[in-house]
Amino acid sequence: MRKIMIAANWKMNTTVSEAKELARALIANTEMKQHVEVLICPPFISTETVYNEIKGSGLLLGAQNMHYEDKGAFTGEVSPIMIAGMCQYVILGHSERRSLFGESSQIVNLKIKAAIRHKIKPILCVGESLDENKNSLTESVLHSQLSQSLEGISNADMTCLVIAYEPVWAIGTGLAASARQADDTIGFLRKALAEIFDKDVSDKTRILYGGSANATNISEYLRERQIDGALVGGAALKANEFTSMILKASQTQK
Ligand code: PGA
């Protein structure tokens, strides 16, 4: 009922020509399957190049961030109207944005609303730090990130939104959460969605796992009932490995 999504966050990696090459390799190697959505999110400067490269391939294009205003004096920022024609998705509230660039859930909330206004589907990232995890604060941290980021969002708007659960301690560390751990926490997020919205929203919203997901562990995550896909950083920069993740996802029976 919930379509699997495998999403690539290239972060601040690849020059324009490398991005073009990586996108091309994914088209060449990827046997697209009906029941998997494959999304790539290159750096802004490569958006248009990658957009032209993947046109008609079935790959989806996303951005890694955006500002919430349409235009104005915001030096260095990229607005929703600049990406709306090319990107179907935008990653919002990634833990690197939150911790390195001071993005609060209130800012993430403004960005989610802007994305929805411009028909760009938000991928809302939530996740607890190692300290919060050790101090048994995971559920309270996730609950407040979720409720604050989704403040004022309607049930109807939730149909286009995807959530990514990314424990901060698992991102880029090789210390992936176990499939059981990720499934339990995503189960908690579903309960929170049912409480903030209703059971229908909770049942229909896709929730991805992110944090050192790779071709070796992807099948374990996808076998779990609550996990609908993965948001992939490091492993998505290698065309062969990412392709293998897509193929494994396409073989998963949910
Ligand atoms: P990682 O990054 O796969 O390199 O851990 C995931 C992410 O930050 O989205």
Side-chain angles (χ1 to χ4, degrees):
M1 162 173 127
R2 299 185 299 255
K3 195 168 188 178
I4 292 178
M5 169 180 262
I6 304 292
N9 175 7
W10 293 357
K11 308 193 180 183
M12 198 175 72
N13 296 293
T14 68
T15 60
V16 175
S17 59
E18 286 166 348
K20 185 173 176 168
E21 209 173 302
L22 183 51
R24 185 176 298 171
L26 295 178
I27 298 167
N29 294 334
T30 303
E31 199 189 320
M32 292 299 157
K33 295 283 191 228
Q34 282 295 313
H35 68 290
V36 179
E37 250 183 43
V38 183
L39 171 71
I40 53 179
C41 303
F44 278 131
I45 191 142
S46 301
T47 303
E48 189 174 3
T49 302
V50 173
Y51 169 74
N52 287 320
E53 196 61 35
I54 65 174
K55 228 182 248 174
S57 69
L59 282 173
L60 302 175
L61 185 61
Q64 300 173 16
N65 177 38
M66 61 170 213
H67 199 272
Y68 51 84
E69 293 287 354
D70 288 358
K71 59 180 177 178
F74 301 100
T75 302
E77 291 292 302
V78 171
S79 91
I81 59 172
M82 297 174 188
I83 58 168
M86 294 184 279
C87 295
Q88 291 98 337
Y89 284 91
V90 60
I91 298 171
L92 294 174
H94 189 281
S95 67
E96 287 150 18
R97 299 292 323 165
R98 290 178 191 263
S99 67
L100 303 173
F101 301 97
E103 258 180 43
S104 62
S105 287
Q106 284 71 22
I107 300 265
V108 175
N109 178 251
L110 291 173
K111 293 185 174 196
I112 290 176
K113 287 175 176 161
I116 291 170
R117 232 179 6 254
H118 291 284
K119 310 222 168 341
I120 308 167
K121 300 171 182 171
I123 300 181
L124 165 63
C125 300
V126 295
E128 83 285 4
S129 68
L130 184 59
D131 266 1
E132 290 161 344
N133 184 285
K134 281 189 179 152
N135 290 308
S136 307
L137 293 171
T138 300
E139 294 194 350
S140 64
V141 166
L142 293 180
H143 197 283
S144 58
Q145 285 179 352
L146 203 63
S147 56
Q148 289 170 14
S149 305
L150 295 174
E151 174 80 43
I153 304 296
S154 71
N155 288 31
D157 288 337
M158 283 300 290
T159 53
C160 72
L161 192 133
V162 175
I163 292 170
Y165 168 56
E166 299 203 304
V168 178
W169 45 270
I171 296 177
T173 57
L175 297 171
S178 71
R180 165 62 73 85
Q181 246 175 329
D183 192 61
D184 282 351
T185 309
I186 290 177
F188 167 77
L189 288 172
R190 275 197 204 288
K191 261 194 254 150
L193 282 179
E195 183 193 302
I196 299 168
F197 298 94
D198 61 19
K199 183 166 183 313
D200 193 51
V201 168
S202 160
D203 286 345
K204 288 184 178 155
T205 302
R206 286 185 294 177
I207 309 184
L208 317 179
Y209 166 75
S212 300
N214 56 37
T216 310
N217 60 25
I218 186 72
S219 301
E220 289 169 37
Y221 294 117
L222 295 180
R223 266 197 292 272
E224 300 291 339
R225 214 158 53 92
Q226 308 289 356
I227 306 178
D228 304 315
L231 180 54
V232 189
L237 293 169
K238 299 172 221 149
N240 288 344
E241 175 149 21
F242 192 62
T243 300
S244 145
M245 294 178 84
I246 297 162
L247 287 177
K248 286 184 177 171
S250 71
Q251 287 152 6
T252 303
Q253 301 292 331
K254 281 298 232 186

